[in-house]
Amino acid sequence: GINAEYGVDLLPEINQAPRILSNHTAALQQNNFKQEIDNYLKTRSSLFLIDLRNKLLLSTQEAIICGTKYNVPLINSLVLYTGVQAISQFQNKSSQVAPPSTHSAPMDIFQHLASELDTEGRYLFFKCLSKPTPIPQQPHALFQLRIVVFI
């Protein structure tokens, strides 16, 4: 797999829990969105995914002012928070012999964003994945490789 090819599992940083220096969940606090994400990560209730795109949209007036129909800080926070949860789940399962599964709640969120958003939304989603992360122990490329494993 990709982990063996790039030796990602051999890096000592991979076993350290990510520590994020910014308040990446601030945008998620509005309208209990973080709680909904956490509930989905625990229960995988499909209701969360059904309404996810709508939760990422701005009001018509805000969209005109911002020049985009999407709440970009919310997408960025969602992707980073979900990515950290995916890494954490993978690390908890890394002691098992089986390869990482693409069938996990964080990856369901990413797969849903990649397949159900329109062109603008997908652009913002993948742009967010390609940004450097504020995780000091995990280099940017390492974070991306972990996400690629699942998508």
Side-chain angles (χ1 to χ4, degrees), residues 9 15 27 29 37-38 60 62 67 77 81 96-97 129 140 142-143 151:
D9 291 336
N15 293 318
Q29 300 302 333
I37 296 167
D38 290 338
T60 305
E62 290 173 310
S77 293
Y81 183 73
Q96 300 172 359
V97 178
L129 281 179
H140 173 60
L142 180 60
F143 180 78
I151 291 185

Side-chain angles (χ1 to χ4, degrees), residues 4 8 11 13-14 27 38 46 87 90 93 105 111 120 129-130:
V8 172
L11 296 172
E13 293 88 356
I14 201 68
D38 290 338
S46 62
I87 290 169
F90 178 76
K93 294 179 182 181
Q111 289 170 348
E120 180 185 2
L129 281 179
S130 68

Side-chain angles (χ1 to χ4, degrees), residues 43-60:
T43 66
R44 291 177 91 172
S45 168
S46 62
L47 295 177
F48 174 77
L49 293 180
I50 290 169
D51 199 35
L52 180 57
R53 181 182 179 274
N54 291 333
K55 291 185 182 294
L56 300 175
L57 294 172
L58 294 171
S59 69
T60 305

Side-chain angles (χ1 to χ4, degrees), residues 13-136:
E13 293 88 356
I14 201 68
N15 293 318
Q16 297 174 359
R19 185 187 63 175
I20 300 175
L21 300 177
S22 65
N23 185 2
H24 69 286
T25 62
L28 300 177
Q29 300 302 333
Q30 296 175 354
N31 301 319
N32 295 320
F33 193 49
K34 183 180 178 296
Q35 182 180 353
E36 290 180 38
I37 296 167
D38 290 338
N39 285 339
Y40 178 78
L41 294 174
K42 290 177 189 170
T43 66
R44 291 177 91 172
S45 168
S46 62
L47 295 177
F48 174 77
L49 293 180
I50 290 169
D51 199 35
L52 180 57
R53 181 182 179 274
N54 291 333
K55 291 185 182 294
L56 300 175
L57 294 172
L58 294 171
S59 69
T60 305
Q61 186 176 8
E62 290 173 310
I64 292 169
I65 293 168
C66 295
T68 177
K69 62 184 168 190
Y70 288 98
N71 183 334
V72 177
L74 185 59
I75 290 173
N76 291 340
S77 293
L78 171 65
V79 170
L80 181 57
Y81 183 73
T82 304
V84 168
Q85 299 306 311
I87 290 169
S88 177
Q89 282 187 10
F90 178 76
Q91 287 173 337
N92 291 338
K93 294 179 182 181
S94 66
S95 61
Q96 300 172 359
V97 178
S101 172
T102 58
H103 303 291
S104 66
M107 292 308 105
D108 287 348
I109 293 173
F110 284 155
Q111 289 170 348
H112 183 80
L113 292 172
S115 64
E116 298 300 321
L117 292 176
D118 62 10
T119 304
E120 180 185 2
R122 280 192 305 271
Y123 169 79
L124 293 169
F125 167 63
F126 286 113
K127 181 179 174 184
C128 181
L129 281 179
S130 68
K131 286 181 185 178
T133 61
I135 305 175

